[in-house]
């Protein structure tokens, strides 16, 4: 029924801001095309503390970042000139392709201090044919994302095709990503038709095959089974998965099917060939000390909020 249960590890993204890091994991580096998953919050801090949580401009290649908020807000700026306040229920999909830089800043600390910030951030690796695409950023509003309801069940399709639903979120490979809220006793399961599927428990607890699992655990389901998740209390899940893409290498914020391409990205960032956001270019995160480029591991970028 379950192939693996991954329990999130604490990871610091700087300035005392810790997150729950789920992917990559030593025994499971990817789930479908998903290569990275962080759960930030819930966190409520003073205005002065929230300002320190800003993530300065930093680069990406070879992936799409997907930012999805439960509470609070954060401002995204990137080298395309996009400036977007990210709010709960929206899908913010940034495809780095051949290279992009962006920042996230907490620019309304009074609001965030009153309303705890909470976000799930994933990276979706790109197929080799799309790794060098031009970078893009798209914000999708909640009314663009289909909702499914049943007794004790509420679900929003964030991306992909699942449960007979689809939306306009542009993806590059077959996948599904859904936000699910269950009331006590409600039953739900991942969509069929995908070889790799999982459920991350953001809030509450669920029972699967007689065993109970709780907050911070990613349940990775075995192929060829149709598990049923039963909510033991009000619960929030993120269901995700899809078709695998093959081996990917990850170093800092760079993902690629090629070691050599990551080395090029390092040189490009150091030489200033990946432009900074034009409206946030006074500071940036420098390239970390070099380390051996490796397949996706349990030690991805330390500052990654997205």
């Amino acid at each position: 029924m379950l192939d693996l249960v991954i329990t999130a590890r604490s990871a610091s993204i700087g300035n005392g801001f810790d997150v729950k890091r789920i992917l990559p994991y030593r025994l499971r580096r990817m789930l479908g095309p998903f290569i990275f998953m962080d759960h930030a919050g819930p966190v409520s801090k003073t205005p002065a503390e929230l300002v320190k949580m800003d993530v300065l401009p930093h680069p990406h290649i070879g992936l799409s970042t997907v930012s999805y908020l439960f509470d609070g807000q954060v401002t995204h700026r990137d080298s395309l000139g996009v400036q977007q306040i990210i709010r709960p229920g929206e899908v913010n999909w940034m495809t780095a392709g051949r290279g992009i830089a962006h920042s996230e800043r907490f620019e309304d600390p009074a609001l965030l201090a009153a309303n705890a910030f909470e976000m799930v951030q994933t990276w979706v690796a790109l197929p080799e044919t799309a790794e060098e695409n031009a970078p893009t950023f798209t914000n999708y509003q909640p009314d663009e994302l289909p909702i499914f309801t049943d007794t004790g069940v509420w679900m929003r399709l964030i991306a992909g095709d699942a449960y007979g639903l689809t939306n306009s979120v542009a993806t590059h490979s077959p996948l599904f990503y859904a936000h699910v809220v269950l009331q006590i006793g409600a039953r739900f399961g991942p969509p069929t038709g995908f070889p790799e599927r999982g459920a991350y428990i953001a809030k509450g607890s669920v029972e699967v095959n007689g065993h109970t699992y709780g907050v911070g655990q990613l349940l990775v389901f075995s192929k060829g089974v149709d598990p049923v998740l039963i909510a033991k209390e009000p619960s929030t899940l993120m269901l995700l998965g899809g078709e695998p893409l093959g081996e990917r290498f990850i170093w800092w914020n760079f993902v690629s099917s090629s070691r050599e391409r990551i080395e090029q990205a390092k040189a490009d960032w150091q030489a200033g060939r990946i432009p900074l956001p034009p409206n946030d270019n006074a500071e940036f995160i420098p390239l970390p000390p070099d380390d051996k480029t490796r397949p996706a591991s349990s030690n991805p970028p330390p500052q990654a909020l997205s």
Side-chain angles (χ1 to χ4, degrees), residues 224-240:
V225 301
D226 292 315
V228 175
L229 291 78
I230 305 170
K232 304 297 287 182
E233 58 186 304
S235 301
T236 298
L237 311 177
M238 303 299 279
L239 303 185
L240 68 162

Side-chain angles (χ1 to χ4, degrees), residues 211-267:
H211 298 278
T212 299
Y213 305 93
V215 173
Q217 292 188 302
L218 172 64
L219 313 182
V220 180
F221 303 114
S222 303
K223 295 180 181 179
V225 301
D226 292 315
V228 175
L229 291 78
I230 305 170
K232 304 297 287 182
E233 58 186 304
S235 301
T236 298
L237 311 177
M238 303 299 279
L239 303 185
L240 68 162
E243 295 281 348
L245 294 178
E247 185 179 56
R248 288 296 182 272
F249 299 96
I250 183 170
W251 189 90
W252 195 39
N253 299 311
F254 305 137
V255 169
S256 179
S257 58
S258 163
R259 293 176 183 269
E260 292 74 22
R261 183 63 182 89
I262 289 183
E263 293 303 317
Q264 181 62 56
K266 295 181 190 179

Side-chain angles (χ1 to χ4, degrees), residues 55-60 100-104 252-253 269 285 303-304 306:
V55 179
L56 304 182
H58 58 281
H60 291 284
I100 195 170
H102 75 134
S103 64
E104 292 99 2
W252 195 39
N253 299 311
W269 183 243
I285 299 176
Q303 92 297 335
S306 65

Side-chain angles (χ1 to χ4, degrees), residues 2-304:
L2 286 178
D3 184 52
L4 182 67
V5 177
I6 298 173
T7 299
R9 297 87 65 205
S10 179
S12 174
I13 60 175
N15 297 317
F17 186 15
D18 292 338
V19 299
K20 300 179 186 74
R21 181 149 297 163
I22 304 104
L23 291 174
Y25 178 64
R26 179 174 53 88
L27 299 178
R28 187 77 191 207
R29 294 169 174 174
M30 299 176 69
L31 184 60
F34 291 87
I35 194 168
F36 182 90
M37 187 177 195
D38 267 2
H39 179 189
V43 59
S44 183
K45 293 182 178 289
T46 66
E49 290 173 320
L50 283 164
V51 170
K52 294 178 183 178
M53 288 166 50
D54 284 354
V55 179
L56 304 182
H58 58 281
H60 291 284
I61 68 161
L63 56 85
S64 294
T65 66
V66 187
S67 303
Y68 188 84
L69 271 65
F70 295 135
D71 290 296
Q73 67 180 47
V74 63
T75 301
H76 161 100
R77 294 182 177 89
D78 64 41
S79 50
L80 301 175
V82 173
Q83 178 171 314
Q84 177 71 50
I85 296 176
I86 300 174
R87 296 183 173 91
E90 302 172 354
V91 171
N92 295 271
W93 192 289
M94 184 184 78
T95 296
R98 59 178 174 256
I100 195 170
H102 75 134
S103 64
E104 292 99 2
R105 295 191 181 265
F106 296 89
E107 296 182 333
D108 194 344
L111 175 64
L112 288 177
N115 301 282
F117 174 78
E118 187 171 10
M119 179 174 83
V120 173
Q121 225 278 334
T122 56
W123 295 357
V124 179
L126 298 174
E128 290 185 42
T129 55
E131 285 183 316
E132 296 301 318
N133 282 5
T136 61
F137 177 91
T138 307
N139 167 269
Y140 298 91
Q141 291 292 298
D143 61 9
E144 299 178 77
L145 310 171
I147 301 293
F148 167 83
T149 60
D150 199 354
T151 304
V153 176
W154 177 95
M155 185 210 73
R156 171 180 286 133
L157 183 66
I158 296 172
D161 300 277
Y163 308 106
L165 303 175
T166 188
N167 61 30
S168 60
V169 175
T171 62
H172 294 86
S173 65
L175 61 83
F176 70 93
Y177 192 22
H179 171 197
V180 179
V181 178
L182 302 177
Q183 300 306 314
I184 297 176
R187 304 164 70 92
F188 202 66
T192 60
F194 296 94
E196 298 188 357
R197 301 172 297 163
Y200 173 69
I201 306 168
K203 300 176 184 179
S205 59
V206 298
E207 178 184 314
V208 180
N209 200 31
H211 298 278
T212 299
Y213 305 93
V215 173
Q217 292 188 302
L218 172 64
L219 313 182
V220 180
F221 303 114
S222 303
K223 295 180 181 179
V225 301
D226 292 315
V228 175
L229 291 78
I230 305 170
K232 304 297 287 182
E233 58 186 304
S235 301
T236 298
L237 311 177
M238 303 299 279
L239 303 185
L240 68 162
E243 295 281 348
L245 294 178
E247 185 179 56
R248 288 296 182 272
F249 299 96
I250 183 170
W251 189 90
W252 195 39
N253 299 311
F254 305 137
V255 169
S256 179
S257 58
S258 163
R259 293 176 183 269
E260 292 74 22
R261 183 63 182 89
I262 289 183
E263 293 303 317
Q264 181 62 56
K266 295 181 190 179
D268 288 345
W269 183 243
Q270 223 162 9
R273 290 190 288 267
I274 300 176
L276 294 170
N279 46 1
D280 191 356
N281 58 14
E283 51 188 346
F284 62 90
I285 299 176
L287 194 75
D290 204 3
D291 190 10
K292 182 180 179 182
T293 302
R294 57 201 182 280
S297 71
S298 58
N299 185 32
Q303 92 297 335

